[in-house]
C-alpha cells in the first residue's frame, strides 16, 4: 500500500492500518507515503516506520511495490491523483468528498472503470458499529415503513480549530463547506438507510461571511416516500462535535449519537419498552458484517476492528483489502460517491434557485 497525504486523515488511516497489520488481520505492507510537506512526511515515516517516502505523488504511483493507493490529500487534488493511479493500473481508496461535483465524480468513475481497477471511497460511516447494528435491527424486527430520518450534525469550524486545515476555508480546494466537506457522510447515511432520493429542497447559509457555507438544512424525499432532513452547522462554540441520527418508522424508532462519547444505540418498537444497545453488542454486528468470527480472534484483533471512533477506518480498510483480494468492487465505492454528490449538487442548486430540485 502507498498513501498520499500524511495530514489528519492520512495519519488516521496509517494508525488503523498499523493496528490491522499488528493484529495480523491483513497481509500487506505500508510500502510508501507521499506528502508535499517534507516535515510531515518525515514525521509520518518515523511514526509508522514506512521505508519509502516521496514528495511527488507521481513517484509513489510509479513505485512497483505499491498495488493500492490511499488518496488522503485535500479534495481538489483527488482528481489528478485518481487519474494518475488508475493510469498506472493501481487500485485506489480515495477520501470523501471524491470531488467538487457529481460531474467530476462521474469522470473519475469512468477513468477507474476503463482501467478495470478497484476503487473505494471514504464514506466511512458505513462501518460504524451502531449504524450497522441499526441496519440489522431493521432486518430482524418489524419497524414498518420508513417515515423520517433526521440528522443534526454540528462541528466547530474545522478551519482554525481542531483540524487546523486552512484549505477548508478555501472553496477552490474544499469545494464548499459543511454540506459537501462534512455532511456528505450524512447524505450517504440517508441513502444507505432509505434508498434513492427523488427530490431535494435546501437552505444553505453563510453566516460567517466566508466563501464556504457554515449551515445547510435539507429536506430529501426518497423514492419510497420517506423523508430525510439534515441540519448541518459549523460554529465557534467550544463543544464536542455531535452527530445525532434518528430514524422513525411506522412502528419503531432508532436513535444513535456519534462523536459525543455516547457509545450506545436506543431503539423502541411500538408499545414495547425502549432498548439500549451498548458497543459490545453492536461490535458483534460489525464483526459479522466483516465476516469475522468474534470467538476466533484475539483481543488485539477485536480492538483493532471495533475501538469506538476508529472502528469505521479500520473496518473499512479491512473490508477494502478483502474486496480487492476477492476481485470485487469495495463498498462503499465510486458509484456510492456519485449518488451522494448528486444530492449535494441538487441541494446547492435548490438553495440558489429557492425551489425543489428533482433528481429522477
Ligand atoms: N472520511 C473521513 O472521515 C475524513 C475525515 C477528514 C478528512 N477527510 C478528507 O480527507 C482529505 C484530507 O483531509 P485532511 O483533514 O487530512 O487534510 P490535511 O490538511 O490535514 O492533510 C492533507 C495533507 O495532504 C498534503 N498534500 C497537499 N497537496 C498534496 C500533494 N499535491 N501531494 C501530496 N500531498 C499533498 C498536505 O501537505 C497535508 O499533509 C479531504 O478530502 C477531506 O475531506 C475525510
Amino acid at each position: 500500500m502507498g498513501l498520499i497525504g500524511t495530514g489528519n486523515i492520512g495519519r488516521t488511516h496509517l494508525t488503523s492500518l498499523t493496528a490491522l497489520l499488528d493484529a495480523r488481520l491483513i497481509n500487506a505492507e505500508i510500502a510508501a507515503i507521499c506528502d508535499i510537506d517534507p516535515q510531515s512526511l518525515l514525521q509520518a515515516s518515523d511514526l509508522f516506520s514506512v521505508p519509502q517516502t516521496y514528495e511527488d505523488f507521481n513517484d509513489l504511483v510509479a513505485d512497483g511495490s505499491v498495488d493500492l493507493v490511499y488518496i488522503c490529500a485535500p479534495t481538489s487534488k483527488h482528481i489528478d491523483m485518481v487519474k494518475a493511479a488508475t493510469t498506472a493500473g493501481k487500485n485506489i481508496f480515495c477520501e470523501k468528498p471524491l470531488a467538487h461535483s457529481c460531474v467530476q465524480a462521474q469522470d473519475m468513475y469512468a477513468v477507474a472503470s476503463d482501467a478495470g481497477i478497484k476503487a473505494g471511497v471514504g464514506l466511512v460511516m458505513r462501518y460504524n458499529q451502531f449504524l450497522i447494528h441499526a441496519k440489522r435491527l431493521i432486518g430482524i424486527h418489524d419497524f414498518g415503513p420508513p417515515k423520517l430520518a433526521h440528522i443534526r450534525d454540528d462541528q466547530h469550524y474545522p478551519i482554525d480549530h481542531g483540524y487546523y486545515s486552512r484549505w477548508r476555508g478555501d472553496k477552490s480546494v474544499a469545494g464548499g463547506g459543511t454540506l459537501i466537506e462534512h455532511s456528505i457522510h450524512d447524505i450517504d447515511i440517508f441513502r444507505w438507510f432509505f434508498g434513492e432520493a427523488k427530490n431535494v429542497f435546501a437552505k444553505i447559509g453563510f453566516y460567517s461571511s466566508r466563501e464556504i457555507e457554515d449551515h445547510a438544512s435539507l429536506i430529501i424525499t426518497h423514492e419510497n416516500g420517506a423523508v430525510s432532513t439534515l441540519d448541518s452547522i459549523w460554529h465557534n462554540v467550544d463543544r464536542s462535535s455531535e452527530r445525532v441520527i434518528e430514524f422513525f418508522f411506522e412502528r419503531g424508532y432508532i436513535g444513535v449519537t456519534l462523536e459525543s462519547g455516547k457509545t450506545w444505540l436506543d431503539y423502541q418498537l411500538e408499545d414495547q419498552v425502549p432498548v439500549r444497545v451498548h458497543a459490545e453488542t453492536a461490535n458483534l454486528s460489525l464483526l459479522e458484517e466483516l465476516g469475522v468470527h468474534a470467538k476466533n480472534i484475539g483481543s488485539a484483533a477485536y480492538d483493532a476492528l471495533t475501538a469506538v471512533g476508529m472502528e469505521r477506518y479500520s473496518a473499512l480498510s479491512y473490508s477494502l483489502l478483502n474486496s480487492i483480494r476477492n476481485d470485487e468492487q469495495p463498498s462503499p465505492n465510486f458509484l456510492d460517491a456519485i449518488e451522494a454528490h448528486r444530492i449535494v449538487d441538487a441541494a446547492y442548486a435548490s438553495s440558489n434557485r429557492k425551489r425543489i430540485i428533482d433528481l429522477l
Side-chain angles (χ1 to χ4, degrees):
M1 301 175 287
L3 181 141
I4 306 171
T6 57
N8 160 48
I9 203 65
R11 286 178 192 217
T12 301
H13 286 297
L14 289 168
T15 303
S16 69
L17 287 168
T18 303
L20 292 175
L21 288 165
D22 289 349
R24 297 180 190 280
L25 280 162
I26 54 173
N27 179 15
E29 191 191 334
I30 305 167
I33 51 176
C34 162
D35 203 294
I36 47 170
D37 175 349
Q39 227 180 323
S40 173
L41 189 57
L42 185 65
Q43 209 182 46
S45 79
D46 281 349
L47 210 55
F48 299 99
S49 310
V50 184
Q52 184 66 57
T53 59
Y54 298 107
E55 288 183 28
D56 185 333
F57 69 84
N58 290 299
D59 294 332
L60 180 136
V61 157
D63 185 327
S65 64
V66 172
D67 301 315
L68 165 64
V69 181
Y70 273 68
I71 298 173
C72 303
T75 309
S76 59
K77 324 276 177 189
H78 294 176
I79 194 158
D80 287 345
M81 292 174 179
V82 163
K83 285 185 177 174
T86 48
T87 307
K90 307 290 165 97
N91 297 310
I92 314 168
F93 167 79
C94 184
E95 262 308 340
K96 57 41 66 181
L98 208 49
H100 286 182
S101 68
C102 184
V103 169
Q104 268 184 12
Q106 284 168 323
D107 184 26
M108 290 155 89
Y109 171 73
V111 175
S113 7
D114 284 352
I117 54 106
K118 307 286 180 283
V121 72
L123 293 166
V124 286
M125 290 303 159
R126 291 193 183 224
Y127 289 92
N128 170 257
Q129 61 268 78
F130 296 105
L131 293 176
I132 286 180
H133 193 75
K135 266 287 213 191
R136 293 197 159 218
L137 286 172
I138 294 163
I140 295 166
H141 298 292
D142 179 16
F143 278 80
K147 294 175 86 171
L148 177 75
H150 176 240
I151 300 182
R152 193 264 288 146
D153 192 341
D154 85 281
Q155 193 181 41
H156 195 286
Y157 274 106
I159 293 160
D160 31 37
H161 194 75
Y163 288 124
Y164 294 106
S165 52
R166 298 210 171 272
W167 65 262
R168 280 186 171 79
D170 181 346
K171 193 175 177 202
S172 70
V173 182
T178 192
L179 176 59
I180 187 166
E181 164 50 28
H182 186 56
S183 282
I184 196 158
H185 285 301
D186 303 321
I187 303 286
D188 183 58
I189 293 170
F190 291 142
R191 246 197 95 233
W192 181 28
F193 276 79
F194 281 5
E196 299 307 333
K198 191 162 76 173
N199 62 52
V200 185
F201 184 66
K203 169 89 175 72
I204 310 285
F206 297 80
Y207 294 102
S208 76
S209 314
R210 290 182 164 104
E211 58 182 7
I212 44 111
E213 78 278 3
D214 46 22
H215 159 243
S217 288
L218 271 61
I219 302 173
I220 301 166
T221 304
H222 294 265
E223 282 181 26
N224 62 7
V227 170
S228 292
T229 62
L230 168 72
D231 291 306
S232 175
I233 187 103
W234 279 349
H235 53 72
N236 281 314
V237 186
D238 199 359
R239 54 172 263 122
S240 301
S241 301
E242 215 175 36
R243 192 174 249 131
V244 182
I245 306 168
E246 295 183 300
F247 301 105
F248 289 88
F249 297 81
E250 189 69 36
R251 291 186 283 284
Y253 164 85
I254 302 175
V256 178
T257 301
L258 301 180
E259 342 293 3
S260 64
K262 293 181 189 161
T263 51
W264 60 79
L265 167 156
D266 288 316
Y267 76 97
Q268 186 170 8
L269 285 156
E270 226 162 12
D271 54 356
Q272 297 181 19
V273 290
V275 180
R276 177 155 290 176
V277 176
H278 292 279
E280 299 74 47
T281 305
N283 288 346
L284 298 180
S285 293
L286 170 60
L287 293 177
E288 228 176 285
E289 184 72 21
L290 296 173
V292 173
H293 297 289
K295 283 187 196 143
N296 301 347
I297 60 168
S299 60
Y302 178 87
D303 290 347
L305 286 171
T306 63
V308 173
M310 280 303 280
E311 86 293 338
R312 60 204 71 168
Y313 302 102
S314 43
L316 181 143
S317 278
Y318 178 81
S319 172
L320 172 82
L321 279 139
N322 276 333
S323 301
I324 292 172
R325 185 158 295 125
N326 297 334
D327 197 21
E328 292 162 0
Q329 278 301 336
S331 172
N333 54 46
F334 278 23
L335 285 175
D336 296 301
I338 286 173
E339 293 313 316
H341 275 288
R342 196 188 307 283
I343 296 171
V344 166
D345 284 6
Y348 286 126
S350 168
S351 186
N352 284 338
R353 295 181 214 159
K354 297 183 176 50
R355 65 172 180 81
I356 293 173
I357 300 291
D358 286 322
L359 286 155
L360 297 178

